[in-house]
Every structure is written in C-alpha cells, then in structure tokens.
Amino acid sequence: MFHNKCLLCLRLAGRSVLFRRKSTYFITTPIFYVNAPPHIGHVYTAVIADAAHRFQMLLGCQETVFSTGTDEHGTKIQEAALQSGSPLPQYCDHISLQYRTLFQSCNIDYTDFVRTTEDRHKSEVHKFWNVLQAGGHIYLGTYSGWYCTPDETFLSENQLAERQGPDGCTYKVSAESGHPVEWTNEENFMFKLSSFQDDLLRWLQNGLEPPRSLLCHSHWKVDGKKMSKSKGNIIDPLDCIVRYTASGLRYFLLREGVAHSDGNYSETKAIRILNSELADSLGNLLNRCSGKTVNPDQIFPKFCQHSFSIYCNSDEALKLVESLSALPDLVKDHFLACNFYKGIDCIVATLHAANRFFESQKPWELCKKHQSPHQNGVLHLTMETLRVCGILLQPIVPELSDTLLRKIGISKEKRMWKDIRPFSWEQGRLCNVPISAEKIMLYKRIMVSKS
C-alpha cells in the first residue's frame, strides 16, 4: 500500500504474456478512491500518464493501452457516502463521473476507464477468487494493529505520533499524514504468499519481469503549504480550466511538477509561466510570422539554400539552428524518462532563440524595403522552428499544438516523430505552403486585476 505518493505503472512489451510485440505499450494510473472529488494532484497523475501515452503514439507505437479509473471499495468510501447523505451506489456513481468528466475536460485520452463496481470487474474478481480458493491459497485469520482509515493501512509503532486534540486529550496519529489511528482487531481472509516462494524465485530467475517502470511522484502543495480540506486550500481543477484553459493547466502541471520533490501550486507562478511561455514565447512568435504585415503572401516559404546561406549566418541564426538540431534527441530522452519538465525546458530555450533571431532580423523592415528573399529566409527558419516545436509539444498540449500546426499548414499526416527530420535545410523543400486563413490566438494572456 503506497499511501504517501501517487503511482504510475508503465510496462513495455518484452517477455510479457499479454504483450509480445515491441510495438505494444501499456500504461496505467492508480485507480483513484472516490471518497472525495478529484483535485489537482489526481489530474497531475493522469496528465503524466496521458503525456507518456501520447508520446508513445507520436513515436509510432501501433498498439497502446492507457488505463485509468476509480476504486469504489473501502471503509473510507463507505464513511464518505454516509457523510454525504447519499446511498453508496449513487455516491460512487457521482464521484466516478466527476473523474471521467474532468479527465475528458483535460484531454486525457485514456483507452479504458475501469470502475471496481462494474460487472466486468466483479466477474473477473470472482473468477480469480474461486481459483485461489479452490487451490487452498486463502484462509481465514485474524489481524490486529493500529489502523488508519483515511490512509487505509496498518501502521507500526514507529510510524505513529501523538497529538493533542481539541478536548485536551492525547491521540495517536499517523506520523506522516497526521490522520488519526485506532487499535483494530479484525477477522479477515488471508493469502498464503509463502506457498509461492519457490515459484516467485523461479519467476525472477527466469527473467520474467514485473512492470518495467514504476513512477512515483510527490504531492502538490499550495503556496508552499500542504493541501487539505481543513485548511480550505484544495485546488479545484475545473476552476483552473476556466482560469487557464485545459492546455494551460496541462502545461503548468507538466512544466512545474517533478517526481522527486513536492510540486507547488501558485496562481501567481502559473500565470507568469503561461503568459511568458505559451502566450509570448510561442503564441506571439506565431502571430508575428503569420501576420500579414511581415507575411503578406500568407505562406510558409519554401527553403532556399542561397537565401539561407546569405541571410541566416548571423550569430542568432547559427545558435537557433544549433539549438533546433539538437532539440528532438534531447526531448526524446527526457520524455522517455517521463521528465516532461526537462523536455519542455529545452523546447522553451529553443523558442527563446527563435524569438531573438526573429527580433534581430527585423522582418517588418525587410517587408517595407521589399527584400523578399531575406524576408522569406527569416520566415522560413522561424516557421521551421514552430513546426518542430509544435510536433514535440503534442504530448504536452495536444489541442494547442494542433492549432499551431494547422495554422502553419502542417497536415495531420506530417506530425509524427519521424516527420521532424530531416530538417528543411537538410533536404530543401521546393514549394511554398499556404498557411491557414483562420484567425487564431494561440494562447490568450491571462489578465490580473490590480486589486
């Protein structure tokens, strides 16, 4: 039982019985308890899994499975239903639907949503139970210890702490979560794991692997403080979507969240990051190179080696080409390790280089001087940067990436990982590509009231 961290299980096909081909990928989130509505931490878990799943599809994985869902059994769920005043089945239906609706709002592209109250789940559990029981692997036994209902786990003495309650009495609580514990004696069914000791050793010795990757991420704090109902600082993801959009919420969580330490949700920081990176570095660059002032022909100009050699040899241009050339491999390494924040950081650095290049070339002045070859060279390298970054950002912000790529005329058939290379200066594209006439604002700046 991992009650202190959220879990993601990732498994790539190898010698697994279910998945034999290398083109198969399976990923699952934990199934989430329905004792309360989903909060931002649940969305973060699901967004990590979704980004990993989308990245595998971007690489060309032909068969992918992304499973998530809700766990609707347990004492704390029963207690939550009683507190809500709703019958248990209706309560579970309500909270589970909130998860499903929220995930859909956040563009979580799962392939299966599992509920432990579904008939298909109960049917398989009954089959498994009957097999174990028939084999004599289940027996009735007793167990006692300090039990924490909110954490759903027994705790040893060294995992406990003492706290003084409002009545002045001292109570035992979980040292980690602070939740109360009570001494519990229970009669329950036990599983004879010891019967399988030799089988487990043989299983490992034969190289039959457990899930190949298990990702544990930490909690999210709010303005540096632990998120809890008692503090009234639970962050509602739906409010965040209204405030930042689904793309904005996904981007912030994957940009700011790291696995090795607690993430810190701050509205001030979220607005700063989204305005600076999505609205300015990415969105404004797209607007500038697709606007009619600097791009009167409304095209993604063809590559011209002569113009490229003459006009794209400044320090800013050379640094941009160097950064863009290295970008796909850097991002791939980070995304494969689910270090999405590192991949995003590399993308943003390249976008900064593109903005510096664009600013240094002053294409708005070139347009006035009718210097079309120079102007088209600047537009081409800038839009090539946007093309590559748009493809790379698809696992992070799929909806926003689609808008960007559609605007610069990149068809859906040309948005896979294999389409990133060769870069335009490596192969030479011999025709102009019309850009979309659709007027878009890739990401609208979030305005902050001075009050």
Side-chain angles (χ1 to χ4, degrees):
M1 171 66 70
F2 294 84
H3 60 279
N4 59 328
K5 291 178 182 284
C6 292
L7 294 177
L8 288 174
C9 280
L10 293 76
R11 185 171 70 186
L12 291 173
R15 283 160 285 191
S16 168
V17 175
L18 291 176
F19 303 104
R20 296 183 179 276
R21 289 169 289 184
K22 293 181 179 179
S23 61
T24 301
Y25 180 81
F26 171 76
I27 182 169
T28 179
T29 68
I31 47 176
F32 303 102
Y33 283 120
V34 296
N35 60 304
H39 57 64
I40 200 168
H42 301 115
V43 175
Y44 179 55
T45 304
V47 167
I48 294 175
D50 183 66
H53 177 238
R54 288 179 183 274
F55 181 59
Q56 289 297 323
M57 292 193 292
L58 182 62
L59 293 176
C61 188
Q62 296 173 3
E63 294 182 39
T64 63
V65 175
F66 169 20
S67 178
T68 188
T70 48
D71 186 345
E72 302 171 30
H73 293 88
T75 305
K76 65 180 180 180
I77 296 169
Q78 183 180 14
E79 291 179 353
L82 286 172
Q83 291 174 6
S84 73
S86 299
L88 185 57
Q90 284 83 348
Y91 172 81
C92 291
D93 288 344
H94 176 66
I95 301 296
S96 184
L97 181 61
Q98 287 188 10
Y99 273 94
R100 189 188 291 268
T101 302
L102 175 61
F103 289 174
Q104 290 172 348
S105 298
C106 291
N107 294 314
I108 307 298
D109 192 25
Y110 54 78
T111 60
D112 195 12
F113 190 96
V114 177
R115 296 183 60 187
T116 59
T117 54
E118 292 175 317
D119 288 340
R120 60 169 176 155
H121 179 80
K122 289 187 281 188
S123 174
E124 294 306 314
V125 169
H126 287 159
K127 288 180 185 178
F128 186 52
W129 179 275
N130 291 337
V131 169
L132 294 177
Q133 194 171 47
H137 305 306
I138 294 175
Y139 65 97
L140 194 62
T142 59
Y143 193 89
S144 61
W146 292 105
Y147 186 73
C148 180
T149 298
D151 298 339
E152 292 204 324
T153 187
F154 280 94
L155 300 172
S156 60
E157 290 287 346
N158 60 7
Q159 292 176 297
L160 302 177
E162 290 188 344
R163 301 278 166 83
Q164 192 173 45
D167 57 1
C169 297
T170 300
Y171 296 91
K172 290 185 181 293
V173 299
S174 164
E176 181 174 356
S177 69
H179 293 144
V181 300
E182 58 183 348
W183 185 260
T184 303
N185 292 285
E186 68 174 24
E187 186 179 51
N188 212 331
F189 289 99
M190 306 288 184
F191 175 64
K192 290 183 180 178
L193 183 61
S194 58
S195 301
F196 294 89
Q197 180 174 335
D198 293 338
D199 293 309
L200 286 171
L201 290 173
R202 187 162 53 251
W203 183 65
L204 294 171
Q205 290 167 354
N206 290 338
L208 300 175
E209 304 173 58
R212 198 170 291 180
S213 179
L214 184 66
L215 175 63
C216 304
H217 72 73
S218 298
H219 297 288
W220 275 85
K221 294 182 178 179
V222 179
D223 293 322
K225 299 178 181 178
K226 185 177 179 180
M227 188 164 47
S228 69
K229 292 180 184 178
S230 60
K231 293 178 181 177
N233 63 350
I234 299 291
I235 300 299
D236 185 344
L238 292 176
D239 290 342
C240 294
I241 293 173
V242 172
R243 183 77 163 130
Y244 313 132
T245 75
S247 292
L249 177 59
R250 287 178 63 106
Y251 186 86
F252 173 73
L253 291 176
L254 292 172
R255 178 77 165 106
E256 187 66 16
V258 299
H260 56 268
S261 61
D262 288 342
N264 184 38
Y265 175 86
S266 161
E267 184 174 281
T268 300
K269 181 184 289 188
I271 292 173
R272 176 178 57 79
I273 288 174
L274 297 175
N275 281 346
S276 172
E277 298 180 5
L278 289 189
D280 293 346
S281 297
L282 182 59
N284 194 43
L285 183 63
L286 173 64
N287 290 341
R288 296 176 81 183
C289 68
S290 61
K292 291 186 177 180
T293 301
V294 299
N295 193 345
D297 295 330
Q298 292 293 279
I299 56 171
F300 185 157
K302 67 181 180 181
F303 176 79
C304 175
Q305 183 64 58
H306 178 71
S307 297
F308 189 80
S309 300
I310 295 176
Y311 304 120
C312 295
N313 60 359
S314 64
D315 286 345
E316 290 83 3
L318 294 176
K319 288 178 181 177
L320 174 56
V321 170
E322 180 182 9
S323 178
L324 192 59
S325 298
L327 186 61
D329 289 340
L330 290 172
V331 170
K332 184 176 183 179
D333 287 343
H334 293 317
F335 281 11
L336 283 173
C338 289
N339 289 325
F340 295 106
Y341 69 101
K342 290 184 177 180
I344 295 171
D345 193 53
C346 294
I347 294 169
V348 171
T350 300
L351 289 170
H352 287 165
N355 276 279
R356 287 192 294 270
F357 163 72
F358 192 86
E359 190 70 27
S360 71
Q361 297 298 308
K362 297 180 171 61
W364 53 92
E365 293 184 2
L366 299 175
C367 188
K368 293 177 183 177
K369 297 174 182 178
H370 303 289
Q371 297 185 19
S372 295
H374 187 176
Q375 179 184 346
N376 285 342
V378 173
L379 290 175
H380 177 87
L381 183 53
T382 304
M383 294 177 116
E384 177 69 353
T385 302
L386 288 171
R387 180 188 73 86
V388 173
C389 290
I391 292 174
L392 295 175
L393 282 169
Q394 288 178 107
I396 310 299
V397 279
E399 189 173 13
L400 186 143
S401 295
D402 175 64
T403 301
L404 186 157
L405 294 169
R406 188 174 68 249
K407 178 63 180 177
I408 61 176
I410 306 302
S411 66
K412 289 187 180 293
E413 295 75 27
K414 295 294 183 180
R415 300 180 185 181
M416 297 294 288
W417 189 269
K418 62 181 177 60
D419 299 313
I420 295 175
R421 290 192 175 101
F423 299 109
S424 60
W425 60 83
E426 295 173 336
Q427 65 169 349
R429 195 178 66 233
L430 303 178
C431 61
N432 295 324
V433 175
I435 64 174
S436 170
E438 178 186 7
K439 292 183 179 181
I440 65 163
M441 181 176 289
L442 192 64
Y443 191 81
K444 185 177 181 180
R445 284 185 63 83
I446 303 166
M447 305 307 295
V448 181
S449 173
K450 292 182 181 180
S451 60

